[in-house]
Amino acid sequence: MPSWMIMAVEAPLVLSWLATRPMELTSIAAFGVFHSMGLLLEAPVLMLLPTATQLANGPKSAAAVHRHALVMISVALLAATLTTAVPSLRQWILAAGLGLSGDVLAICSVILPSLILWPAAIGYRRVLQGILLANKQSRAIAHASFFRFAGIVVTLMSGSVAGGLPALWAAAALICGVCCETLYTAWSFWRVGFWRRGQEGEDTPVSFPAFLRLFLPLSTSVMASLALPGCITAIIARSYDPVLSLAIFPVVHGFGFFFRAVGLAMQEVFIVGMKEGAQTRSAVDALHWVFVLILVLLLGIIGLTPLARLIFEHLMHLDAPFAAQAATTFVYAIPYPVLTLALSRERARRITTKTNFLIVPATVLEVALSLAIMSALTFGAYLNAASAAMIGLGLGRFCALVFLAWI
């Protein structure tokens, strides 16, 4: 949980730093595109954590999961290299694919190549964290998050002193933070060396087909889900006043991640708890409802009062008109974190009951409905594209939750 909460602070921190630099609106918009591309590139390896948590039950299975994960990480690294390092392909993705133009396109062309190593660092960290979590070594995961946060802060401070392109320093801050976290996690993992000491209980090596049977449905669903920000960016870029909406969306979405992080972190807790037995499962379910109540109260207080505007204007340093529009958009994002928490519980249930194949159609349904609703509101009702995106995301996630809960 602490690791997710520290990650949740990152986006507001970086965005508030960008708001104090020159070219505020353009830099935030470009950083939003960069972050969306980063999510898409990390999607193939993101679910290595729950896969390792489910399969790594001892020394032999952990070693096999580690070996199989390296194969998937290599594939993701190749895809990232082709996407970000080949100039013609990169330009086509940004201009024709996402519909970017002007200063936003120029800045994104400069900062996107820094994503080459992003999926490798994310993937290796995730598989090591999954193995550590499955073997009751969660403290190392929390400690690694502090190194990530420190790397981000140091890089932003360096950018304030050295100057230069603000969006490039913001991108470098995220990458530096992820690399610091991965290095500490790897050091902790090999220092613990639990699979060399052995463990009690049944433990057999996991075959590559068995690994893929669990990993691929989860990975496919996440790739579809994390393609959403890129598709949303493409729609916003073709809407009315695209630069403003491109800037508002990452601000609201990033601030909302602070609350969504609770649900995302709880998925691994749900998986471990559901594996332990009925008593632990009941305790985890009770914790789920406690967090639901807390999120509803917090989001209601922030989103339905002037507090949201004060946060955007005074804590994130946005100018008054920008902060007012962001606060209005955040109202539409209120249900999203609660739905994320509930959906994490249903996904964990499907994983532990070996019906995780249903996660893929649920995610496809979520993505399709989110984009359809957003497009209808943006081009049919002429609603601000960022607000339309948050409404579409919430309704799409609700439909996915209903699908997994009752199908």
Side-chain angles (χ1 to χ4, degrees):
M1 183 69 75
S3 62
W4 277 102
M5 299 313 295
I6 290 175
M7 288 171 59
V9 177
E10 292 174 4
L13 174 65
V14 174
L15 291 169
S16 63
W17 181 83
L18 284 173
T20 65
R21 314 310 297 173
M23 302 169 58
E24 169 195 3
L25 202 63
T26 305
S27 295
I28 292 176
F31 178 77
V33 175
F34 169 86
H35 194 254
S36 297
M37 287 298 298
L39 291 176
L40 183 60
L41 290 174
E42 76 180 37
V45 295
L46 201 61
M47 297 310 284
L48 287 173
L49 194 157
T51 301
T53 302
Q54 177 71 8
L55 297 179
N57 298 312
K60 296 178 182 177
S61 57
V65 168
H66 181 268
R67 185 170 59 252
H68 302 329
L70 291 179
V71 176
M72 309 313 299
I73 292 170
S74 300
V75 174
L77 179 60
L78 176 61
T81 302
L82 293 175
T83 304
T84 62
V86 179
S88 57
L89 181 57
R90 181 176 69 243
Q91 200 70 9
W92 182 87
I93 291 172
L94 293 174
L98 297 180
L100 302 180
S101 60
D103 291 339
V104 176
L105 173 61
I107 294 173
C108 288
S109 298
V110 173
I111 65 178
L112 200 63
S114 58
L115 283 172
I116 290 178
L117 295 179
W118 180 269
I122 293 285
Y124 195 59
R125 170 178 61 85
R126 295 282 287 180
V127 68
L128 297 186
Q129 288 178 336
I131 296 173
L132 288 169
L133 186 62
N135 290 273
K136 311 297 188 298
Q137 300 288 338
S138 58
R139 183 175 297 180
I141 299 174
H143 292 168
S145 302
F146 290 100
F147 282 86
R148 174 181 180 136
F149 188 73
I152 291 174
V153 171
V154 170
T155 305
L156 293 179
M157 291 174 63
S158 301
S160 298
V161 174
L165 189 62
L168 183 59
W169 279 106
L174 284 190
I175 293 167
C176 181
V178 167
C179 290
C180 289
E181 184 182 22
T182 301
L183 289 172
Y184 182 84
T185 303
W187 177 79
S188 300
F189 176 78
W190 293 106
R191 178 177 57 84
V192 170
F194 60 85
W195 73 40
R196 289 189 292 273
R197 295 200 304 265
Q199 289 188 343
E200 297 178 358
E202 182 180 355
D203 177 39
T204 57
V206 178
S207 67
F208 191 58
F211 173 86
L212 290 180
R213 278 195 296 272
L214 178 60
F215 173 73
L216 285 181
L218 296 176
S219 181
T220 302
S221 68
V222 170
M223 282 191 286
S225 181
L226 292 185
L228 254 179
C231 296
I232 288 172
T233 299
I235 294 174
I236 291 177
R238 293 166 172 82
S239 69
Y240 172 75
D241 199 2
V243 175
L244 178 62
S245 294
L246 282 172
I248 290 174
F249 179 71
V251 168
V252 174
H253 201 251
F255 180 64
F257 184 73
F258 182 81
F259 304 97
R260 294 197 308 278
V262 175
L264 296 171
M266 286 298 291
Q267 178 166 306
E268 282 74 45
V269 177
F270 290 145
I271 292 173
V272 174
M274 290 176 181
K275 287 169 63 178
E276 293 294 329
Q279 185 174 359
T280 307
R281 189 180 300 115
S282 299
V284 169
D285 286 342
L287 186 62
H288 162 259
W289 288 111
V290 169
F291 277 122
V292 166
L293 179 61
I294 292 173
L295 284 175
V296 169
L297 290 174
L298 278 177
L299 291 164
I301 292 172
I302 294 173
L304 301 178
T305 68
L307 187 57
R309 180 170 180 172
L310 292 175
I311 290 173
F312 289 128
E313 186 172 350
H314 297 289
L315 291 183
M316 299 186 68
H317 307 293
L318 306 180
D319 59 40
F322 191 4
Q325 184 62 56
T328 301
T329 303
F330 182 73
V331 173
Y332 301 114
I334 289 176
Y336 198 43
V338 180
L339 293 170
T340 299
L341 176 62
L343 188 61
S344 291
R345 180 180 177 276
E346 288 302 318
R347 284 175 172 168
R349 183 173 66 86
R350 293 299 182 180
I351 291 171
T352 54
T353 58
K354 302 188 186 307
T355 55
N356 54 295
F357 60 89
L358 290 172
I359 296 176
V360 175
T363 305
V364 172
L365 176 67
E366 177 183 356
V367 172
L369 287 177
S370 297
L371 294 176
I373 293 168
M374 179 193 173
S375 298
L377 292 174
T378 301
F379 302 113
Y382 299 102
L383 186 66
N384 173 271
S387 298
M390 299 316 304
I391 295 172
L393 287 172
L395 292 175
R397 182 139 296 187
F398 175 76
C399 292
L401 174 62
V402 171
F403 180 90
L404 284 179
W406 280 287
I407 296 300

